[in-house]
Amino acid sequence: MKIIRYIFFPFVPVYYAVTWLRNKLYDNGIKESTSYKFPVICVGNLSVGGTGKTPMIEYLIRILKEDYNVATLSRGYKRKTEGFQLAEAYCNADTLGDEPFQFYNKFKDDIQVAVDADRTNGIERLRASNFSPDIVLLDDAFQHRKVKAGFNILLTTYSNPYFNDYVLPTGDLREPRSGAKRAHAIVVTKCPSDLTHNEKNNLLKRIKPDESQKVFFSSINYSENVFSEELTKELINLNNFTLVTGIANAKPLVSFLNDKDLKFNHLNFKDHHNFTQNEIDDLAIESLIITTEKDFMRLKDYEELKGKLFYLPIEVSIDNSESFNSMINGFIKTKL
């Protein structure tokens, strides 16, 4: 794969120029963006997948749902429906996409979840609903310039920060690094729990935030338990299981399990993988399967896997969370 990316290096200037020009057209008002008088918060990245957008959206839901009517709006990647879709009891991963369905499955009593590739239409439909959210959280919409979110949170991983990367097809960036200037806050995700003050300062020097931008550091906290829809098991007591992942980067999860000296076989699929019936039949032979919460959304309805399929939840921990939460609430208060 790396060899192929290097072969396509001559196309990098073309991709760079096209995406740079598109941004300039929006920046200068030649292409129109829609802004809103109520709070619209966008969580996104510059790179292709794997920066932790889903747990960040869930973090925002947790700190906001008690005080506001909150809605999430996603594209609904790889869903089998089209247009605007509001999450309801009959929905599943095919209807909504795995990540929006995860939001709905976890927070359905507290928020609204919707999907629409046209975020402008999606926001209008949400605001016209009986629920009429106070706040809309846009999932993975940093490059969706037709909507001008009031607050942009840009995520970049500790292991592969955007300032060390290149645009597609040789690198993983969806647009030039200069796009980071549109962010109001930059969060370096998946940091080691023992990240030092000097390491943070070195990252800040590389990021070079504007005076108006704030930079935060976050890490992933894995649960000590795994869950099915009916049961809970202590992770430390499990061994000789099959780990199934269909996410952009499974390395942190694998490292976490290895650090616990657990024995497992890892089946690693591409991000948002749609499992075939043959693959399900192969998994049905296994006695115990541990997967991510996102993958669980796609696998949990297969009868062949009932009783043997469990997921390991994660949550985001933000360094200096009081400052981060205050920043978010401060923005909301200026809009309400």
Side-chain angles (χ1 to χ4, degrees):
M1 179 62 74
K2 289 185 177 180
I3 294 175
I4 294 175
R5 287 194 167 203
Y6 286 130
I7 291 173
F8 281 101
F9 183 78
F11 294 96
V12 166
V14 177
Y15 187 92
Y16 183 103
V18 170
T19 53
W20 179 87
L21 178 59
R22 176 179 181 270
N23 280 330
K24 283 299 178 183
L25 292 176
Y26 277 108
D27 292 342
N28 294 322
I30 298 171
K31 290 180 74 71
E32 185 177 353
S33 295
T34 302
S35 56
Y36 300 90
K37 295 181 179 179
F38 57 91
V40 176
I41 300 174
C42 169
V43 174
N45 51 21
L46 294 185
S47 57
V48 181
T51 57
K53 295 183 295 295
T54 299
M56 178 56 70
I57 290 285
E58 291 187 355
Y59 180 94
L60 293 172
I61 292 170
R62 289 189 179 96
I63 67 172
L64 298 174
K65 64 185 178 65
E66 299 300 327
D67 298 317
Y68 305 102
N69 289 337
V70 178
T72 66
L73 179 61
S74 310
R75 172 187 171 189
Y77 184 62
K78 283 199 173 181
R79 63 186 170 117
K80 296 180 181 179
T81 57
E82 295 182 356
F84 179 80
Q85 176 71 56
L86 188 64
E88 299 184 60
Y90 66 86
C91 291
N92 55 30
D94 287 340
T95 313
L96 301 172
D98 48 19
E99 290 158 341
F101 185 52
Q102 180 175 322
F103 300 149
Y104 178 70
N105 197 61
K106 188 177 292 186
F107 300 106
K108 58 188 171 186
D109 295 329
D110 299 311
I111 69 169
Q112 263 195 335
V113 175
V115 294
D116 197 337
D118 183 344
R119 305 306 205 286
T120 308
N121 180 68
I123 291 173
E124 291 173 357
R125 294 284 295 272
L126 279 169
R127 289 284 285 183
S129 69
N130 292 333
F131 183 81
S132 189
D134 302 317
I135 301 165
V136 175
L137 303 178
L138 297 180
D139 176 29
D140 195 13
F142 196 75
Q143 284 76 36
H144 196 90
R145 300 294 305 273
K146 289 183 180 180
V147 169
K148 186 176 182 180
F151 198 91
N152 283 307
I153 301 173
L154 179 69
L155 309 183
T156 187
T157 62
Y158 172 83
S159 61
N160 188 29
Y162 70 84
F163 53 74
N164 281 344
D165 208 347
Y166 300 92
V167 296
L168 295 164
T170 297
D172 286 324
L173 298 185
R174 298 169 170 178
E175 60 173 296
R177 302 170 191 173
S178 57
K181 298 301 180 183
R182 300 199 305 276
H184 298 87
I186 298 172
V187 181
V188 182
T189 63
K190 304 183 181 181
C191 294
S193 57
D194 57 353
L195 189 67
T196 67
H197 183 71
N198 285 339
E199 287 175 311
K200 292 176 185 178
N201 282 338
N202 288 336
L203 286 166
L204 285 171
K205 290 176 183 177
R206 300 295 304 278
I207 291 172
K208 299 177 182 177
D210 289 343
E211 290 185 4
S212 61
Q213 292 179 313
K214 294 187 177 181
V215 178
F216 296 87
F217 303 90
S218 73
S219 56
I220 292 175
N221 295 328
Y222 292 96
S223 174
E224 294 297 326
N225 299 308
V226 295
F227 302 84
S228 69
E229 292 189 308
E230 300 86 16
L231 300 173
T232 301
K233 293 179 180 288
E234 290 188 26
L235 181 64
I236 197 65
N237 294 328
L238 304 181
N239 248 323
N240 296 318
F241 58 85
T242 297
L243 174 66
V244 176
T245 59
I247 56 178
N249 181 12
K251 289 180 180 179
L253 173 56
V254 172
S255 295
F256 169 76
L257 296 175
N258 282 331
D259 288 343
K260 288 189 170 293
D261 294 324
L262 299 175
K263 292 183 173 64
F264 58 93
N265 175 43
H266 183 200
L267 300 179
N268 190 26
F269 298 90
K270 290 183 179 180
D271 196 15
H272 300 280
H273 178 71
N274 286 323
F275 292 89
T276 66
Q277 188 57 52
N278 285 339
E279 289 167 341
I280 298 300
D281 291 340
D282 289 340
L283 289 176
I285 300 172
E286 306 295 335
S287 57
L288 178 62
I289 302 167
I290 307 300
T291 191
T292 68
E293 193 168 3
K294 183 171 78 169
D295 294 311
F296 185 80
M297 294 301 115
R298 288 189 303 258
L299 293 168
K300 70 185 186 72
D301 291 332
Y302 286 99
E303 289 295 329
E304 302 95 318
L305 305 182
K306 297 291 185 182
K308 61 180 67 178
L309 180 69
F310 291 78
Y311 68 89
L312 179 64
I314 64 172
E315 288 188 9
V316 163
S317 175
I318 298 180
D319 187 38
N320 199 8
S321 59
E322 288 185 5
S323 176
F324 181 85
N325 297 355
S326 176
M327 174 190 65
I328 297 297
N329 280 295
F331 159 70
I332 292 170
K333 288 176 182 177
T334 66
K335 289 287 188 176
L336 293 178

